Amino acid sequence: MTELNDFSKPIRDPIWKHIWMNDELYALTKTAPFMRLYNIKQLGPTELVYPGASHTRAGHSIGVYNIALKMLNLLLKKGADSWVSKQGAMSFLAAALLHDLGHFPFTHSLKELRLKEHEDLTGELILKEPLSSAVAGTGANPEQTAAIITGNEKNDTETVFFQKLLSGVLDPDKLDYLNRDAFYCGVPYGIQDTDFILSQLIPDKKNGIKIESKAILSVESILFSKYLMYKSVYWHKDVRIATAMMKKAIFTGIEKGRISPEDLYHQDDEGIFRLLEKADYPEKKPAEDLRLGRIYHIIAEKDFESGNQKHIDLEDLNKRLMAEEALAEYFSNQTKSRIDCEDIIIDIPERISFESDLFIEDEQKVFSESSTVFSKEFIKTLVPSLRKIRVAVSDKIYKKSINLNQTILPIF
């Protein structure tokens, strides 16, 4: 198969400069499902902390496509052309461009709710009109494109190869969002030597890619950047609380039957607020405060302990809500005034992993067992340093200047 370099439609991007497409791929970016991504900020409420972080999922998606194109061209030169078809290659590029079509607004605010996975929503969109015909018009196969994104099992090795490329420690998604998020937030931590990283990849029919040990440094750079971006941006204490405020408003709305999961599918940032305006329940107050930029004040913080049953219980959103209700009752007793549950937020970041099954060719072992510093033992010390349980309260409680230290201990 000839190299995929016959694209003449340029798109200017602040991160990657010129991004090249053909007319058919470009047409995908003008469909209604893709246009919705222009109304979803990539980092949700992060702009309340980093004002520059107003970039969208549309820009990110085009950036992912750009890296996917570069990655595929390099892998084809190194032998992947022996099992990659032109239709498969176009399906992969379409998948990279459309991978976030079903993503929810407000970054990962809705991640822990009982909703469809956004990858599955994306797959559904690709398999129906108008996208199905538009994807086919690029030379891609809509079914294969959807499968590459959803990761659903397919028997053909080509689709499995592309699934591995689109999801992993060196995937186009991660290489774009680390660089893009760092740029717009004005921090240096996510910047990667992307061209060098791509040049080190070796195609592997079964596993997607592999590397030689000399490229371990590139993987370590990404993992360190991921750690620093989580610490400084994604899990910045105020970003976490802002995210948790929206999560609580939506979660309680679903639990009370004021909002249905279907109401949330294919919404954008503004659509979520319009949805909440129509719903009548007191627990939506955190979202209303968030819209006004009123992030709740943190009054307590503690490292998450994986062996502490109280901490484990708080990972369950229903039990977390019960703990918030218990704190509201305590504050009411202390102040001799009514304190409502919606004025209290408990936040716990989701579980994340820094492990990788990327194969190191010359060492004949997977990354976490290789000569990297990111050994399983090191990772065990790294992740706990990021996960903090935090309790935050609205102005209504914070201004009462309660002695809160002894109050929070029972939930920890």
Side-chain angles (χ1 to χ4, degrees):
M1 187 178 65
T2 58
E3 190 179 351
L4 295 166
N5 61 2
D6 58 339
F7 300 148
S8 57
K9 183 77 174 179
I11 296 176
R12 289 290 290 174
D13 181 76
I15 309 300
W16 309 119
K17 308 312 176 188
H18 269 82
I19 295 176
W20 298 95
M21 293 185 179
N22 59 22
D23 290 337
E24 292 76 20
L25 283 167
Y26 183 71
L28 292 179
T29 70
K30 299 306 177 184
T31 59
F34 193 93
M35 292 299 292
R36 180 184 74 98
L37 300 182
Y38 283 100
N39 297 318
I40 299 179
K41 295 184 181 69
Q42 173 75 4
L43 297 182
T46 302
E47 66 174 351
L48 296 175
V49 178
Y50 293 97
S54 58
H55 54 302
T56 67
R57 292 219 166 254
H60 163 64
S61 296
I62 293 170
V64 172
Y65 156 82
N66 174 64
I67 296 177
L69 176 61
K70 290 183 177 181
M71 176 183 286
L72 187 54
N73 272 327
L74 286 164
L75 295 177
L76 291 173
K77 289 179 180 179
K78 294 182 179 182
D81 58 339
S82 65
W83 66 79
V84 169
S85 66
K86 183 65 177 289
Q87 184 181 70
M90 294 307 299
S91 296
F92 172 63
L93 295 179
L97 182 62
L98 304 177
H99 77 285
D100 263 354
L101 281 189
H103 208 290
F104 298 107
F106 287 94
T107 185
H108 295 293
S109 298
L110 313 185
K111 189 173 182 178
E112 296 175 75
L113 306 186
R114 291 190 293 271
L115 303 172
K116 287 184 178 181
E117 296 293 333
H118 74 81
E119 294 88 352
D120 292 332
L121 292 172
T122 299
E124 292 174 3
L125 284 170
I126 290 172
L127 293 176
K128 66 182 183 181
E129 298 298 344
L131 275 174
S132 181
S133 294
V135 169
T138 69
N141 178 288
E143 288 76 20
Q144 186 177 27
T145 301
I148 291 170
I149 295 170
T150 61
N152 293 339
E153 290 187 14
K154 284 184 71 69
N155 294 326
D156 67 289
T157 56
E158 184 185 51
T159 301
V160 173
F161 171 71
F162 287 130
Q163 288 172 340
K164 297 286 187 178
L165 289 191
L166 198 60
S167 179
V169 70
L170 290 174
D171 61 49
D173 184 32
K174 195 176 285 84
L175 287 171
D176 182 80
Y177 79 64
L178 285 174
N179 283 281
R180 189 172 299 274
D181 294 348
F183 175 86
Y184 280 100
C185 289
V187 299
Y189 312 121
I191 306 302
Q192 299 297 312
D193 188 355
T194 305
D195 286 340
F196 174 77
I197 291 171
L198 294 178
S199 73
Q200 299 301 300
L201 304 183
I202 303 169
D204 184 289
K205 190 173 184 179
K206 180 181 178 181
N207 299 307
I209 55 172
K210 56 188 176 184
I211 60 172
E212 299 282 350
S213 57
K214 65 179 181 180
I216 285 177
L217 181 63
S218 298
V219 184
E220 290 177 334
S221 174
I222 289 175
L223 292 176
F224 275 121
S225 292
K226 178 181 175 181
Y227 168 78
L228 291 172
M229 287 296 286
Y230 267 92
K231 193 174 183 67
S232 63
V233 177
Y234 306 139
W235 285 359
H236 181 285
K237 57 185 179 63
D238 289 331
V239 173
R240 285 298 322 174
I241 297 304
T243 302
M245 290 167 67
M246 178 58 75
K247 180 184 298 182
K248 180 171 182 174
I250 298 297
F251 171 69
T252 52
I254 292 175
E255 291 295 298
K256 288 176 172 288
R258 303 294 193 273
I259 298 174
S260 71
E262 289 71 26
D263 292 333
L264 301 169
Y265 300 151
H266 315 305
Q267 284 284 3
D268 58 22
D269 289 353
E270 187 59 33
I272 287 288
F273 285 119
R274 289 197 300 268
L275 182 65
L276 289 170
E277 285 175 357
K278 297 175 182 177
D280 182 23
Y281 62 103
E283 292 86 357
K284 71 176 184 178
K285 178 180 180 294
E288 294 173 337
D289 285 343
L290 181 62
R291 192 171 197 177
L292 298 173
R294 299 171 182 165
I295 301 176
Y296 286 10
H297 306 272
I298 296 171
I299 59 173
E301 176 181 294
K302 189 176 181 65
D303 290 343
F304 181 88
E305 298 169 1
S306 58
N308 187 326
Q309 189 58 50
K310 287 184 177 180
H311 292 189
I312 295 171
D313 287 345
L314 289 174
E315 291 184 293
D316 182 296
L317 291 181
N318 284 293
K319 292 181 179 179
R320 194 181 307 179
L321 182 60
M322 291 171 60
E324 290 166 344
E325 290 171 345
L327 287 178
E329 183 178 356
Y330 182 90
F331 293 157
S332 297
N333 292 334
Q334 290 292 305
T335 61
K336 309 301 182 187
S337 61
R338 180 180 174 82
I339 301 296
D340 298 307
C341 179
E342 54 265 28
D343 290 300
I344 301 167
I345 295 289
I346 298 175
D347 175 61
I348 305 175
E350 65 273 13
R351 296 171 183 261
I352 58 171
S353 173
F354 287 85
E355 294 188 31
S356 171
D357 60 358
L358 184 64
F359 192 72
I360 314 300
E361 177 71 6
D362 54 330
E363 295 188 13
Q364 287 293 296
K365 56 183 66 175
V366 295
F367 177 78
S368 59
E369 297 174 0
S370 70
S371 54
T372 178
V373 69
F374 278 86
S375 64
K376 291 183 178 180
E377 290 71 24
F378 176 71
I379 292 171
K380 287 179 182 178
T381 65
L382 187 68
V383 176
S385 69
L386 286 172
R387 298 190 77 199
K388 309 282 186 183
I389 304 176
R390 294 187 177 97
V391 178
V393 298
S394 69
D395 288 343
K396 179 179 178 181
I397 299 178
Y398 193 70
K399 291 177 180 178
K400 293 182 181 296
S401 300
I402 310 170
N403 179 7
L404 298 167
N405 289 332
Q406 62 179 352
T407 304
I408 309 305
L409 288 176
I411 73 161
F412 286 152

